[in-house]
Amino acid sequence: MPRFPPSLNSSLDLKSILQHLQILWYLFLMHLCLELCRIGLSKKAFEAFHIKDVWNWPWQLWNENWNLNIVHYIFQNLSLFVQVLNRRCVEAAVMTGLALNCRINKKSLFDRKHYFYADLPAGYQITQQRLPIAVNGSLVYSFCAGKNRSQVINKTARVKQIQLEQDSGKSLHDDLRSQTLIDLNRAGVGLLEVVLEPDMSCGEEAATAVRELQLILQALGTSQANMAEGQLRVDANISVHHPGEPLGVRTEVKNLNSARFLAKAIDYEIQRQINELENGGEILNETRSFDSKLGCTIPMRDKEGKQDYRFMPEPNLPPLLLYDTESLPAGADPQQVIDIDRIREQLPELPSVTREKLVQQYGMLPEHSFTLLNEVGLLEFFQNVMKETRAEPKKVTSWVLNTLLGFLKQQNLAVSESPVTPSALAELLNLLDRKAISSSAAKQVFEELWRNEGKTPAQIVSEKKLELMQDQEALEQLCHAVMEGHPQVVMDVKKGNPRAINKLIGLVRKATLSRADPTVIKEILEKKLAS
């Protein structure tokens, strides 16, 4: 299917020639550090081996309380320290590869990528340039389209490879003092790099793919994938080309830290390149950054080529060997080998399967299933409410997605910060389900719950006298009185004005302080009007 970019305000013929655009490829960079620290393992991808045995430290430099698993950045760059691969990083890479339908290489190699920069004290980065740990996978992502966003479109981006790397440090630029500081805390942290093939054509597609990848990583537990905290970074490589011709010269937009900025950067860069070609210019193979305040990309430096990095085999790390059930050596120590099939058996339910189950189990619209998964913690909240309420799933979905989520967004709160608990919302919906309160009264109760005064829905209903009128005879008398007091409205209804009855319903509800069910009021009025 042809891919079309955002429309451009140009009347030149070159616009039609360049209408088929293609994003060259994406690098999705995933930090593993925070998740690995939480499970009690070292956060370094390659650890120094037996520090105390390697060096005869002077007594004043040695402290028995040092954590030998977290190596100081200086230690990592001394030649006497032999690197040892972090097992958890390998397991996370294999699990991610399997979730992305990759072929896991039973043998992969490590390489040194040389470049000199202040945030890389060693002068090289350990990576997998020749033979990565996983190849030839696919990332399936979906987004809602159409007038009411009710049409689900499925797309697939091919995964070229997944490779293990070391992360570098972070440069902190102080413009006021005209100096740059270097934060080396993350230097050596395990980095998983996912390279996608050129299968996306606009910013929205790329942002949707990244969100899906976030959900997959969070489901796997390999990373929290919080872009704002640097656990997931995206480098977008973009090019435009004439239909039928090879891909054009690409530019790379580095370190995009939100899906929204990713979409904006890509769409801007597509337009910038087209405008440059229309004006007779040329596209430079360069690295650019995205200025979120200005909404544009700006040049950083020329793009390096493979020859600039002087790749060479990593001399301190032997080939990484993985096994499956058939190739696993007899009597092998499970702590010394990694079994691909065992990791495959431990894969959790992936987001696409969860969404499908939500649609089938609860009969919800596909777009609602997307929202439940895209908001962190919202699916768990919904499921907890469903466990404790007798209300229909459709009503629960509406309250969670419209009322609860609306209040959360209005006050910029996360689901975990909601003052209304799943139990409280379930109790409120139970009151509504057994017609103890009206819909408008339920909203009043929710607002009271949001103020977090420690009261239950039942207590709020009792204190504010929000119970529905159960006295049918009294309600009929009120309806009769309202009809007698507004003969013109009654006449309008009898003349065929269907909206006039709503005014009568409103008047009755006002007389009951909104304690009467509108449906019951309407039934009584219709019966009296027909007599």
Side-chain angles (χ1 to χ4, degrees), residues 172-239:
L172 304 171
H173 304 291
D174 187 346
D175 295 331
L176 293 177
R177 296 181 176 84
S178 299
Q179 64 182 6
T180 297
L181 304 177
I182 306 298
D183 181 357
L184 290 169
N185 282 304
R186 76 181 191 191
V189 165
L191 189 73
L192 199 62
E193 182 170 287
V194 180
V195 184
L196 299 188
E197 296 282 10
D199 295 326
M200 288 172 275
S201 58
C202 68
E204 182 185 4
E205 283 191 39
T208 304
V210 168
R211 291 190 190 99
E212 185 69 14
L213 186 58
Q214 281 181 297
L215 293 174
I216 291 173
L217 295 172
Q218 290 163 359
L220 295 175
T222 55
S223 173
Q224 289 188 332
N226 188 323
M227 297 186 76
E229 296 180 4
Q231 297 164 14
L232 175 69
R233 304 195 303 273
V234 183
D235 296 346
N237 289 256
I238 303 112
S239 74

Side-chain angles (χ1 to χ4, degrees), residues 403-423:
T403 308
L404 175 72
L405 193 57
F407 273 71
L408 290 171
K409 289 189 177 297
Q410 194 175 36
Q411 299 192 21
N412 197 26
L413 296 176
V415 176
S416 59
E417 299 172 312
S418 171
V420 180
T421 64
S423 296

Side-chain angles (χ1 to χ4, degrees), residues 82-93:
V82 180
Q83 303 291 347
V84 178
L85 184 59
N86 186 323
R87 175 190 179 94
R88 180 68 182 98
C89 288
V90 179
E91 292 174 337

Side-chain angles (χ1 to χ4, degrees), residues 118-173:
D119 61 10
L120 194 70
Y124 66 86
Q125 177 189 42
I126 298 178
T127 183
Q128 291 189 305
Q129 191 263 339
R130 291 171 297 161
L131 191 58
I133 194 167
V135 295
N136 300 335
S138 60
L139 171 63
V140 180
Y141 58 98
S142 307
F143 56 92
C144 298
K147 185 176 181 180
N148 298 320
R149 299 187 66 81
S150 58
Q151 180 185 1
V152 178
I153 298 176
N154 298 314
K155 295 220 169 186
T156 301
R158 292 168 294 157
V159 177
K160 181 180 180 182
Q161 65 188 57
I162 298 177
Q163 58 202 42
L164 277 167
E165 292 187 345
Q166 282 178 307
D167 201 357
S168 59
K170 183 179 182 180
S171 299
L172 304 171
H173 304 291

Side-chain angles (χ1 to χ4, degrees), residues 56-123:
N56 185 18
W57 293 104
W59 66 270
Q60 65 267 29
L61 294 181
W62 182 254
N63 185 335
E64 291 295 340
N65 294 322
W66 280 10
N67 183 352
L68 301 187
N69 291 325
I70 300 179
V71 184
H72 195 279
Y73 70 92
I74 293 178
F75 298 164
Q76 291 191 7
N77 303 316
L78 296 178
S79 59
L80 291 177
F81 288 86
V82 180
Q83 303 291 347
V84 178
L85 184 59
N86 186 323
R87 175 190 179 94
R88 180 68 182 98
C89 288
V90 179
E91 292 174 337
V94 172
M95 184 173 285
T96 304
L98 292 173
L100 295 178
N101 309 301
C102 291
R103 174 171 61 83
I104 307 300
N105 286 324
K106 294 181 182 178
K107 177 181 178 181
S108 59
L109 305 173
F110 290 97
D111 305 280
R112 285 189 181 183
K113 176 182 178 182
H114 293 83
Y115 64 93
F116 295 94
Y117 203 67
D119 61 10
L120 194 70

Side-chain angles (χ1 to χ4, degrees), residues 455-475:
K455 298 176 182 177
T456 66
Q459 289 173 332
I460 295 171
V461 169
S462 177
E463 289 177 6
K464 294 193 172 290
K465 300 183 178 349
L466 296 174
E467 304 94 338
L468 279 177
M469 285 184 62
Q470 303 298 332
D471 191 337
Q472 183 79 4
E473 185 177 346
L475 190 56

